[in-house]
Amino acid sequence: MSVAYFNGKFVGSNDPVVPIDERGHQFGDGVYEVIRIYNNKPFMLEEHLDRLYMSAEAIALAFDQSRESFKEIIFQLIERSGLDNLDVYLQITRGLAPRNHLFPDAPVSISMTAKPFRSIPAEFRERGAKAILHPDERWMNCYIKSLNLLPNLLAKQEAHKAGCLEAILHRDGKLTEGTSSNVFVIKDSRIRTTPLSRHILAGITRMAVQRIAQAAAIPFEERHVAIEELYEADEVFITSTTSEVMPIVQVGEKLIGDGQPGQLTRLLQRHFQALTTAVTADA
Ligand SMILES: Cc1ncc(COP(=O)(O)O)c(C=O)c1O
């Protein structure tokens, strides 16, 4: 069952609990995380929390709750959901205060939801998905997992209108990332992805894929990828917590490789699945 939490109370996921004067609601003044729970155990929880605390600090959000007590709420929420496989959404905002751009002297608001896995049709994972290319119109601090997602939403909607799953964003002729994913190209059995910088989010799934590639001795290069390299790639895939490792078989009108998910992408999908199963297995 879907359940939620807001400022100290467990509530129904559709309960109207957030007052109008809430800064997440009015300004998108906050940060968030999406964590996947497999077999009742959060996957890479510490890495997600590291990023959440980093994002909060980057926007000067006074989120000083101890990690242990914060984790306790997450575990309680998971238990209350009664689900084994679910997505947990966490949001921290600058709190409740009459609308004013200046920071209020108010405690932060914490909200969470726990919902069954957001299902991406299995056929995408198996046969690959399509993407469009779109200019990256976002701000200069995309390493922060901020609630402000308007440019991402607009680009994703363009992708959807074109019958595609994702929009791959580019800045100065080079790829940055997807609207809600990191992007990888494979050429001559080498994986390439945009280096971490303030222009992209340091994806947790990206980190998992990097570890998998290193363990399997697959060359993994963090370097800028030009738009032409995307079109000429043997394989392309995207990663995110909810789409995991997703093959991209067409960008715009151009087929990638032979238009089928490539062998290395398949291998990474299998390794990723094995990793999530292994680290969340019952002790
Ligand atoms: C802009 C952006 N890049 C990358 C990602 C992938 O991050 P993760 O693998 O931590 O889910 C996301 C996830 O939502 C995202 O919004």
Side-chain angles (χ1 to χ4, degrees), residues 21-283:
D21 276 340
E22 209 288 328
R23 293 183 64 97
H25 169 61
Q26 287 177 330
F27 293 117
D29 185 8
V31 293
Y32 76 104
E33 275 300 320
V34 179
I35 304 174
R36 191 152 256 201
I37 319 300
Y38 297 89
N39 188 31
N40 223 262
K41 297 180 200 66
F43 179 64
M44 295 180 78
L45 176 62
E46 297 302 332
E47 289 83 351
H48 280 283
L49 292 181
D50 285 346
R51 190 172 64 184
L52 182 69
Y53 279 83
M54 180 279 295
S55 292
E57 199 180 328
I59 64 160
L61 197 69
F63 176 48
D64 48 15
Q65 174 150 13
S66 82
R67 244 169 124 113
E68 285 315 308
S69 62
F70 190 63
K71 275 200 259 187
E72 192 45 46
I73 306 173
I74 300 174
F75 285 119
Q76 277 190 43
L77 188 76
I78 295 171
E79 199 180 319
R80 279 167 187 262
S81 77
L83 300 165
D84 287 334
N85 297 302
L86 59 149
D87 293 323
V88 169
Y89 174 85
L90 313 173
Q91 175 176 301
I92 322 282
T93 77
R94 218 177 301 273
L96 310 176
R99 190 178 184 284
N100 180 340
H101 286 50
L102 293 176
F103 292 1
D105 184 14
V108 299
S109 289
I110 300 176
S111 34
M112 302 186 187
T113 62
K115 299 186 179 175
F117 271 4
R118 204 176 64 166
S119 61
I120 293 184
E123 64 177 86
F124 285 141
R125 213 177 302 276
E126 282 147 29
R127 287 197 231 135
K130 293 194 237 170
I132 60 164
L133 204 58
H134 194 279
D136 192 337
E137 294 168 343
R138 301 173 303 162
W139 71 329
M140 304 302 276
N141 292 310
C142 298
Y143 71 101
I144 300 169
K145 204 160 166 63
S146 145
L147 295 180
N148 285 269
L149 290 172
L150 200 46
N152 307 53
L153 310 188
L154 294 173
K156 180 82 108 190
Q157 190 64 23
E158 287 300 313
H160 182 70
K161 278 201 297 202
C164 296
L165 184 71
E166 181 58 302
I168 296 176
L169 306 176
H170 60 90
R171 193 189 280 274
D172 300 330
K174 294 173 222 134
L175 309 187
T176 50
E177 58 183 339
T179 66
S180 58
S181 60
N182 292 108
V183 178
F184 303 73
V185 303
I186 300 177
K187 187 73 185 171
D188 301 329
S189 304
R190 308 178 82 78
I191 305 171
R192 290 177 190 154
T193 195
T194 308
L196 297 182
S197 76
R198 63 196 306 175
H199 293 304
I200 70 166
L201 187 75
I204 305 300
T205 323
R206 178 189 187 279
M207 191 189 296
V209 164
Q210 185 168 19
R211 290 179 190 164
I212 288 169
Q214 278 160 357
I218 304 167
F220 185 98
E221 299 170 352
E222 292 179 280
R223 70 157 179 80
H224 287 291
V225 180
I227 292 174
E228 304 78 60
E229 292 179 89
L230 172 71
Y231 289 127
E232 286 158 19
D234 300 329
E235 305 178 32
V236 174
F237 67 93
I238 56 172
T239 62
S240 76
T241 295
T242 51
S243 58
E244 303 175 336
V245 176
M246 175 68 69
I248 296 293
V249 294
Q250 187 174 336
V251 179
E253 296 303 311
K254 175 82 174 65
L255 286 187
I256 302 298
D258 61 1
Q260 307 287 327
Q263 271 189 7
L264 257 183
T265 306
R266 288 258 183 255
L267 183 76
L268 292 169
Q269 280 182 311
R270 287 198 297 275
H271 277 292
F272 185 79
Q273 206 195 348
L275 179 70
T276 58
T277 307
V279 300
T280 60
D282 294 324

